[in-house]
Amino acid sequence: MLCQLSINNFAIVRFLELDFKPGMTTITGETGAGKSIAIDALGLCLGNRADANTLRPGATKAEFSARFSLDDVPLAKRWLEDNDLELDDECILRRTIGSDGRSRAYINGNPVPLGQMKSLGQLLIGIHGQHAHHAMLKSEHQLTLLDSYANHRLLLESVSSSFQRCKLIEKELKALQQSQHERIARKQLLQYQVEELNEFALEDGEFEQIESEHKKLANGTALIDACRKELFILQDNDEASVESLINAGISQAQELEAYDPQLNSVVNMLNDALIQVQESSSELERYLDGLELDPEHFSFLEQRLSKVMQLSRKHQVNPNELYSHHQTLIAELASLDSDEEALTSLQEEVDASLESYITHAKKLSQSRIRYAKELDKKVTQSIRELSMPKGKFSISVNFNESHISPNGCDTIEFLVTTNPGQPLQPISKVASGGELSRIGLGIQVITAKKVATPTLIFDEVDVGISGPTAAVVGRMLRSLGESTQVMCVTHLPQVAGKGHQHMFVNKQSRGGKTETSMVPLDKTQRIEELARLLGGDVITSNTLANAKELLHS
């Protein structure tokens, strides 16, 4: 629950430090005194938007601090633990706003983004404003009220998760479908190209082999002539072949060796040279014997080489890259085939995810129908107590599979009849302003009892209500205050008298400056304030007596 609220330099507040207790606290004051100022300050502590106009004139910074006890708030405790912001069994929210409009937010002394403060604030306080019943005319707000009453958090999470998964897969499928025409055209081209290259069937490294062999055969006659000339030089020239000259050199070296054995190494080297020359000659002879100038094979090589060059130009690759290009096209064609399989698989996934979503949505819808019937009875009883004795309230829940959303497939409509004999009709068409106020208040009080928020604030929700109805409203809020901390800004004495505590807002002007204060009232002061609310500025013994009776009723 909220234990303390501190306000510095906010609007017409210079400084306020307020201590709050369990139960129902009523807040009253003269018109324009700033009764809602504490609630506005709390809203800023909970992450509401702010600007430089928030500051008290002349101030450079406004500061707000709210301290909460977390004894009975397990959701808030868990949130703080999950975000590493826990501090024993209490929580302090602090917000500063500078004259430049910039603000800073803190949770238990740690700076945090405003979004985090807002997330935590929703677990600590629920604020019902004086215009909340107007929002009740909107179908989406009606749905939120029903889900809050039924505590559908887990069911809604399941539906929302299923919805997001369904939309994600649908997005993938749509993207794949949009590129399908391009893939079909590309696939047809690839099939033609791959078939052509498959028919040619160039092997890895074949181009280099063809090129080398073609070059050899193209220069065959020159090769033969060159080989014969080389053999003539090495061994066939009887007068001065290399072999005969080396033999002559060996003979001369052997004579030298006879004179000096140290020249033996020269003989050995010349012998080695002779062996190398003889082996070279043998190698040339074998090559020459195996060299065949086959015109048919040469023609085949020329055709093959010409086709390689033609295909290379066609595919805009180097001839030595044609084989690898062929393999790349085969892989791409296979991937396009797998895309078609993915398209079929994704369609199946979309169907399955939609079926899963509908299953979760139906489960949520069935729960809504059950709780709608329960809420029908309670709201009907409530509005009858609020001076609508023949009133009847009903919630229409309609399930439509074609209406998918993160909140399910239901459309919700609040129906009401205020007079006997009249059929149930949408609340926006039947209820007057005062009736709408009473119906809205009844729903807010009933749903507030089911929500786990430890502190509830009602800001002049009793506008348009008076007399005996106001007394019923007071009893409703006090009953709610027995189990939940309730704060109620009101102008009705019947409501103010039902509070466990009473705070009074006063505005004073001194030295050209206006300042608002808020103070708790003791029993005597409460009677005087209730008398003021009953009788206006002139307080008589009768109004005091009525006020005392109201306080003790």
Side-chain angles (χ1 to χ4, degrees), residues 140-165 356-357 359-365 367-368 405-410 412:
E140 58 270 21
H141 187 66
Q142 295 174 2
L143 188 63
T144 300
L145 285 171
L146 177 58
D147 286 334
S148 296
Y149 175 79
N151 191 19
H152 279 154
R153 183 175 61 85
L154 295 178
L155 283 174
L156 282 168
E157 286 178 0
S158 298
V159 170
S160 178
S161 176
S162 298
F163 175 84
Q164 297 301 333
R165 173 168 172 72
S356 173
Y357 167 82
T359 299
H360 287 294
K362 282 181 177 178
K363 188 175 180 181
L364 175 60
S365 182
S367 182
R368 280 171 173 163
S405 78
N407 297 318
C409 298
D410 293 317
I412 299 290

Side-chain angles (χ1 to χ4, degrees), residues 155-398:
L155 283 174
L156 282 168
E157 286 178 0
S158 298
V159 170
S160 178
S161 176
S162 298
F163 175 84
Q164 297 301 333
R165 173 168 172 72
C166 192
K167 287 300 177 183
L168 181 63
I169 300 174
E170 282 182 351
K171 185 178 179 181
E172 291 180 21
L173 178 62
K174 187 176 181 180
L176 205 57
Q177 287 172 335
Q178 286 176 341
S179 62
Q180 189 174 21
H181 294 301
E182 296 177 7
R183 290 200 315 277
I184 291 173
R186 178 64 178 165
K187 184 176 179 180
Q188 290 174 343
L189 175 62
L190 285 174
Q191 285 174 332
Y192 168 76
Q193 291 177 330
V194 168
E195 285 174 6
E196 185 179 41
L197 290 170
N198 283 345
E199 186 178 352
F200 183 60
L202 182 70
E203 296 181 359
D204 189 16
E206 184 184 352
F207 168 73
E208 291 80 1
Q209 182 183 347
I210 291 172
E211 190 178 38
S212 174
E213 197 171 349
H214 179 270
K215 183 178 181 181
K216 182 175 75 173
L217 293 180
N219 297 283
T221 303
L223 270 172
I224 291 172
D225 289 343
C227 285
R228 286 174 177 171
K229 287 179 180 178
E230 184 67 18
L231 284 171
F232 180 78
I233 293 170
L234 291 176
Q235 66 179 17
D236 294 340
N237 187 344
D238 294 334
E239 295 179 1
S241 68
V242 173
E243 186 175 339
S244 63
L245 290 173
I246 292 175
N247 277 321
I250 291 172
S251 298
Q252 187 65 40
Q254 286 173 340
E255 289 182 14
L256 292 172
E257 182 186 10
Y259 295 115
D260 187 351
Q262 288 185 359
L263 294 175
N264 177 257
S265 60
V266 175
V267 176
N268 290 336
M269 285 188 286
L270 286 171
N271 280 321
D272 289 342
L274 180 61
I275 292 171
Q276 293 293 325
V277 168
Q278 289 171 342
E279 286 183 354
S280 297
S281 299
S282 299
E283 184 69 27
L284 275 173
E285 286 174 345
R286 284 193 296 272
Y287 177 79
L288 194 59
D289 290 341
L291 189 62
E292 295 181 8
L293 301 182
D294 184 350
E296 290 185 4
H297 184 58
F298 181 70
S299 176
F300 167 78
L301 290 175
E302 274 203 324
Q303 291 174 8
R304 193 84 175 151
L305 188 61
S306 175
K307 187 67 174 179
V308 169
M309 304 307 290
Q310 177 192 344
L311 290 173
S312 298
R313 286 193 299 271
K314 187 174 183 178
H315 289 269
Q316 297 181 345
V317 296
N318 292 326
N320 59 353
E321 295 173 352
L322 186 62
Y323 173 81
S324 61
H325 178 67
H326 181 197
Q327 303 309 308
T328 300
L329 294 182
I330 291 173
E332 186 181 352
L333 184 59
S335 72
L336 288 179
D337 288 334
S338 67
D339 280 350
E340 294 301 320
E341 294 174 5
L343 196 64
T344 303
S345 176
L346 270 178
Q347 183 60 63
E348 291 173 355
E349 282 190 55
V350 167
D351 295 340
S353 65
L354 183 59
E355 184 178 348
S356 173
Y357 167 82
I358 295 298
T359 299
H360 287 294
K362 282 181 177 178
K363 188 175 180 181
L364 175 60
S365 182
Q366 290 165 0
S367 182
R368 280 171 173 163
I369 291 171
R370 179 164 65 87
Y371 279 101
K373 291 177 180 177
E374 185 179 305
L375 193 54
D376 288 348
K377 295 177 183 178
K378 291 187 176 181
V379 175
T380 296
Q381 180 183 348
S382 175
I383 63 176
R384 287 179 177 176
E385 291 175 1
L386 292 169
S387 301
M388 298 170 63
K390 301 297 182 180
K392 185 178 180 182
F393 178 84
S394 179
I395 301 176
S396 169
V397 181
N398 297 301

Side-chain angles (χ1 to χ4, degrees), residues 427-443:
I427 195 169
S428 59
K429 296 181 179 180
V430 179
S432 65
E435 289 170 336
L436 187 60
S437 258
R438 282 175 273 167
I439 295 169
L441 181 59
I443 292 174

Side-chain angles (χ1 to χ4, degrees), residues 24 26 28 386 462 465-478 488 490-500 502 526 529-535 546-547 549-553:
M24 175 183 175
T26 55
T28 64
L386 292 169
D462 49 16
I465 295 172
S466 60
T469 305
V472 175
V473 171
R475 288 198 300 272
M476 283 183 174
L477 293 174
R478 184 178 178 90
C488 179
T490 182
H491 65 284
L492 297 176
Q494 296 92 333
V495 175
K498 292 297 181 182
H500 296 92
H502 190 152
R526 286 192 71 179
E529 173 60 7
L530 291 176
R532 184 190 68 80
L533 293 172
L534 285 167
N546 290 337
E549 183 180 352
L550 193 62
L551 186 60
H552 292 94
S553 63

